[in-house]
Amino acid sequence: MSSRKRPKRKTRPPKKPNAVYQFTDSWDILAQAIREIHKKNASILGFEGLYRVAFRIVLHKNGDKLYNGVREIITQHLEEVAVSQVVPAFPLSGASSSQTNPNGAGRANFLKVLKTVWEDHITCMLMLSDILKYMDRVYAKPANVPLVYDLGLDLFRDIIVRSQNYPIQNHLLEVLLQQIMLERENEIIDRTNVKASIDMLLELTDASTKDTIYAIDFENKFLESSSEYYRVEGQMLVGEYDTSDYMKEVDKRLNKEEQRVGHYLSPTTEPKIRNIVEEELISKHLKTIIEKGLIPVLRNEKMNDLGRMYKLFGRVVKGHDEMKSAISDYIRELGKAINETVTSNTTAEGGNAVSVDKQTEVTVALRWVQKVLDLSDKFDKVQNLALSNDETFQTSFNEAFEYFINKNPKSPEFISLFIDDNLKKGLKGETEKEIGSVLNKAITLFRFVEEKDVFERYYKQHLAKRLLLGHSVNDGAEKRTISKLEIVSGYQFTTKLEEMFNNMRISSNTMSDFKE
């Protein structure tokens, strides 16, 4: 037996199956499956088996062929959809909203068809994403190409929405804007179809800018058409409606645009459309609204209307400034009328001054102060109920009161007489709260007086008479009044008034000692 060992034979790996044949065979299976999905026959398919077929194709380094093949089938399908479904749904060019094309599809129906096409496409792409998940991970990402779902969106954008062969984009934008216009005119529209189209535009992105098709194609046209609509609307409404109804209509328009955004537009559009409505319906008609209706609203104390005007004017630049200026001018006019009434009561018909007795002078003074206080109460009410206690408005009101009060040269004397009359008799039997209210009102007017030294002179005279004649019925009220005057004008202003009280107390004590 030979000792020579037999050489070992090398084991060769099995021959690889023909790669071209394998791809063709596998691709035919996948291509047919994709077509069945497009035909809505997905229920007859085995998705796990299809996933394995796609897996083998990518595993054999044919991911590029698979990717390009999928893109070609989707492209062919969308081109067929454009011709067979979308284009026949076009509304007639120049037709009204009620007219239809030969196939019976009107403007609103066009959105319904597009909604169906879009939803079907998304459903198909989700199925394909599941089948081709391995291709996305192993081929698409490393090759830096869109994943299959994103590829489907890009193809839908280019073949349907931005078709180079058919004016689908023009019809889509025209119908969307027309539907919104109808809703603004209180027509009932199918918001579901409008929202579906808007959502579609929001999901599709531009290839170069990466912005949404909504922002690039739709939003600017929507804002332009809205600006023109409200420009015309504002001119019409301001001419036909009174101020109260106009403000209500503006408020309603703002609310409806806000609701429209909530129903089917992008939230990013809300501040833009709001600015347009505010500009066209408020800013451009500020002076007209004020000249036409602010004074009647104030005169009739329509607090709800005034509050609505304050709220709406606060939305625009210089809105509150214009409103403050107009109300301030109105206060000055009312104050001027009060001053003229007093002048007419103290002047003869021929214009010559006549002597009036002290009682008449007091009556005139009390009437003037009371009218000013009534006017102050009126605008305090306006502040509380309509202007949200806006400090800037209060400052403007104070300046107006100060202006006309100091236009009356007798205002220091009149205010002193008013306090004198109330401290002599008006506060008898009054509660502490009522006493404080009267004094606070008087001191409020005193704050506006520029010639406080003149007021001081009259107040000393009136206080001296009350103390000497014993007409002051409430020492506590007298002292509280002096304390309030001190807060307004400082300690030096009231020092002599307090000395008068001290002198009267010393005199009273001396008389008591003398009697004893």
Side-chain angles (χ1 to χ4, degrees):
M1 186 174 182
S2 174
S3 61
R4 190 171 59 181
K5 294 182 179 180
R6 296 175 64 183
K8 291 183 179 181
R9 300 179 65 180
K10 293 183 179 180
T11 303
R12 295 180 179 179
K15 293 183 179 180
K16 293 182 179 180
N18 189 304
V20 175
Y21 174 80
Q22 182 184 8
F23 171 76
T24 303
D25 198 33
S26 299
W27 168 243
D28 287 343
I29 296 173
L30 279 179
Q32 183 59 34
I34 294 173
R35 293 187 181 96
E36 292 298 331
I37 290 174
H38 284 151
K39 294 176 183 178
K40 302 181 181 180
N41 293 327
S43 60
I44 67 174
L45 302 175
F47 279 76
E48 185 176 346
L50 294 173
Y51 177 87
R52 286 198 295 268
V53 172
F55 176 86
R56 285 196 299 270
I57 292 176
V58 176
L59 192 65
H60 286 83
K61 309 301 182 184
N62 287 312
D64 56 338
K65 293 181 180 180
L66 175 59
Y67 189 88
N68 292 331
V70 170
R71 178 169 56 193
E72 184 177 349
I73 290 183
I74 296 173
T75 299
Q76 291 174 353
H77 170 71
L78 289 176
E79 288 174 346
E80 292 172 1
V81 168
V83 173
S84 63
Q85 298 183 49
V86 180
V87 173
F90 283 171
L92 289 175
S93 178
S96 67
S97 60
S98 61
Q99 289 178 303
T100 59
N101 66 9
N103 291 332
R107 291 178 184 270
N109 189 57
F110 172 71
L111 296 183
K112 183 178 180 180
V113 170
L114 199 60
K115 173 178 179 289
T116 301
V117 169
W118 168 250
E119 290 175 348
D120 288 347
H121 180 68
I122 292 300
T123 301
C124 292
M125 293 313 304
L126 289 173
M127 293 181 185
L128 291 181
S129 295
D130 289 338
I131 294 172
L132 302 172
K133 191 172 295 184
Y134 187 73
M135 182 192 74
D136 278 342
R137 185 171 71 253
V138 176
Y139 169 74
K141 286 184 178 180
N144 198 27
V145 294
L147 303 183
V148 68
Y149 181 84
D150 296 331
L151 172 66
L153 297 184
D154 291 344
L155 292 174
F156 193 91
R157 174 197 65 207
D158 297 335
I159 298 172
I160 301 293
V161 177
R162 286 181 170 179
S163 172
Q164 298 297 312
N165 300 321
Y166 312 104
I168 298 174
Q169 182 186 38
N170 291 339
H171 283 291
L172 173 59
L173 298 180
E174 179 186 346
V175 171
L176 284 175
L177 295 177
Q178 182 256 0
Q179 290 293 294
I180 293 172
M181 185 71 69
L182 287 176
E183 189 176 50
R184 283 174 175 158
E185 297 297 330
N186 298 318
E187 297 286 341
I188 297 176
I189 66 170
D190 191 336
R191 288 176 174 171
T192 303
N193 292 331
V194 175
K195 177 174 172 54
S197 295
I198 294 296
D199 288 345
M200 175 189 70
L201 296 178
L202 283 167
E203 189 161 354
L204 300 175
T205 57
D206 182 77
S208 57
T209 66
K210 302 305 178 184
D211 289 332
T212 64
I213 302 302
Y214 173 92
I216 297 175
D217 294 357
F218 171 77
E219 188 177 53
N220 287 337
K221 290 185 178 295
F222 167 71
L223 295 176
E224 289 173 4
S225 66
S226 297
S227 181
E228 177 61 20
Y229 173 83
Y230 282 114
R231 183 187 66 80
V232 175
E233 188 79 353
Q235 293 174 349
M236 181 191 71
L237 293 177
V238 81
E240 294 181 358
Y241 287 18
D242 61 23
T243 299
S244 177
D245 290 338
Y246 183 81
M247 290 288 98
K248 291 177 183 177
E249 193 64 26
V250 173
D251 207 18
K252 185 194 303 181
R253 295 287 181 169
L254 285 165
N255 290 333
K256 284 188 174 181
E257 291 299 335
E258 183 178 354
Q259 292 170 5
R260 184 169 293 111
V261 171
H263 287 310
Y264 51 76
L265 297 178
S266 168
T268 59
T269 303
E270 193 276 331
K272 300 173 185 177
I273 185 62
R274 184 180 69 240
N275 289 340
I276 286 175
V277 178
E278 291 170 351
E279 174 67 21
E280 298 297 337
L281 298 188
I282 303 176
S283 291
K284 290 186 176 180
H285 302 287
L286 268 179
K287 292 187 180 297
T288 302
I289 296 169
I290 289 173
E291 293 171 0
K292 186 177 179 181
L294 177 58
I295 302 308
V297 168
L298 283 170
R299 186 183 299 118
N300 297 318
E301 297 188 5
K302 294 183 177 180
M303 297 303 169
N304 289 337
D305 292 338
L306 194 60
R308 186 178 294 108
M309 184 181 295
Y310 171 79
K311 183 182 71 172
L312 292 176
F313 279 23
R315 289 172 169 266
V316 300
V317 177
K318 295 185 178 180
H320 279 173
D321 290 341
E322 294 286 349
M323 192 175 179
K324 278 187 294 186
S325 178
I327 297 178
S328 178
D329 290 343
Y330 180 56
I331 293 174
R332 295 185 185 207
E333 290 178 7
L334 294 176
K336 180 181 178 182
I338 293 173
N339 289 341
E340 290 175 349
T341 300
V342 172
T343 302
S344 65
N345 288 334
T346 57
T347 305
E349 292 183 2
N352 297 321
V354 297
S355 60
V356 292
D357 57 33
K358 289 292 183 181
Q359 186 57 43
T360 302
E361 184 178 12
V362 171
T363 301
V364 171
L366 296 180
R367 184 163 58 247
W368 181 86
V369 173
Q370 191 58 54
K371 285 185 176 182
V372 175
L373 289 177
D374 290 343
L375 187 62
S376 178
D377 289 342
K378 175 186 177 75
F379 282 93
D380 284 345
K381 183 179 178 182
V382 168
Q383 263 285 71
N384 294 332
L385 299 181
L387 305 180
S388 301
N389 290 313
D390 191 314
E391 292 184 1
T392 61
F393 274 79
Q394 188 61 61
T395 299
S396 178
F397 295 173
N398 290 346
E399 291 172 353
F401 272 89
E402 182 177 352
Y403 173 81
F404 82 78
I405 285 174
N406 288 290
K407 282 293 183 179
N408 178 11
K410 287 183 169 291
S411 60
E413 180 184 2
F414 284 0
I415 295 172
S416 180
L417 283 170
F418 178 83
I419 296 175
D420 178 63
D421 184 74
N422 279 278
L423 288 176
K424 282 195 299 186
K425 58 183 180 181
L427 297 180
K428 282 185 178 180
E430 302 284 349
T431 65
E432 289 291 325
K433 184 176 181 180
E434 290 169 333
I435 291 173
S437 176
V438 172
L439 294 177
N440 285 336
K441 289 182 178 181
I443 300 303
T444 297
L445 297 188
F446 170 67
R447 293 174 187 272
F448 297 134
V449 173
E450 293 177 351
E451 296 180 336
K452 289 183 170 55
D453 55 335
V454 177
F455 171 85
E456 181 185 8
R457 185 172 71 249
Y458 282 113
Y459 194 84
K460 286 178 182 177
Q461 294 174 7
H462 297 145
L463 175 61
K465 288 182 180 180
R466 290 197 300 275
L467 295 177
L468 291 173
L469 299 177
H471 288 169
S472 180
V473 296
N474 192 320
D475 287 348
E478 292 280 6
K479 291 179 179 179
R480 281 193 294 273
T481 303
I482 293 175
S483 296
K484 292 178 184 296
L485 292 173
E486 181 179 339
I487 293 173
V488 176
S489 298
Y491 176 76
Q492 296 296 326
F493 180 82
T494 58
T495 299
K496 294 181 179 179
L497 301 179
E498 292 174 348
E499 288 178 357
M500 293 173 66
F501 263 102
N502 292 332
N503 291 337
M504 287 300 299
R505 186 176 65 254
I506 293 172
S507 175
S508 177
N509 292 337
T510 302
M511 290 296 295
S512 297
D513 292 341
F514 176 77
K515 289 179 180 180
E516 291 177 359

